[in-house]
Amino acid sequence: MQGHEIQRIAIEAAERLPAAECSYPFRPKHQVYKVCGNVFLLLTELQGVPVITLKCEPQQAALHRVICPSITAGYHMNKRHWITVNPGDSLSPGLIQQRVEASYQRVVRGIPASRRPAWVG
């Protein structure tokens, strides 16, 4: 799967999530999706290659890195809690969508219940 396709699928998944907002807080080439002000998805390029970075449970992040060579520790993020998805043959659209939704859920769980958006997934 190519980088632009990974980003397209991630954007489509993020835009379906309640209260997800897109912004460009760093530079135009760094697209960020947040929920209630908390980042759950970053889209950027590393050495000209489109990638995405997502929040992930530490044990699951480690497992993904072992199973899928295209998934690495989060670029410029906490290496235990974030993963970066690079282009590669071991990826599928379903995996990208699942990882975006899981990142969103992880962030939402940290939001106080009174501010938390409703999500059914």
Side-chain angles (χ1 to χ4, degrees):
M1 181 176 292
Q2 297 298 316
H4 291 294
E5 186 178 6
I6 293 167
Q7 289 188 341
R8 178 187 57 78
I9 292 165
I11 290 168
E12 288 172 359
E15 290 181 348
R16 287 191 296 267
L17 299 169
E21 297 178 346
C22 178
S23 64
Y24 296 83
F26 308 115
R27 291 188 304 196
K29 289 192 175 185
H30 301 280
Q31 188 174 359
V32 175
Y33 279 85
K34 297 179 181 182
V35 58
C36 298
N38 298 289
V39 175
F40 69 92
L41 168 65
L42 294 99
L43 300 97
T44 191
E45 290 185 2
L46 299 180
Q47 300 176 348
V49 177
V51 299
I52 62 171
T53 300
L54 303 155
K55 193 131 191 187
C56 193
E57 298 284 345
Q59 292 172 330
Q60 208 165 33
L63 180 63
H64 281 300
R65 289 192 301 266
V66 169
I67 293 172
C68 184
S70 297
I71 297 178
T72 59
Y75 181 73
H76 278 301
M77 304 298 276
N78 180 307
K79 306 301 183 204
R80 282 191 72 224
H81 297 275
W82 291 85
I83 57 173
T84 294
V85 181
N86 302 276
D89 295 334
S90 59
L91 302 172
S92 69
L95 175 65
I96 302 304
Q97 182 176 338
Q98 177 191 43
R99 289 293 86 221
V100 170
E101 291 173 359
S103 178
Y104 173 88
Q105 289 175 351
R106 180 161 169 75
V107 170
V108 165
R109 282 194 308 270
I111 298 169
S114 62
R115 293 183 38 230
R116 196 177 295 167
W119 188 72
V120 178

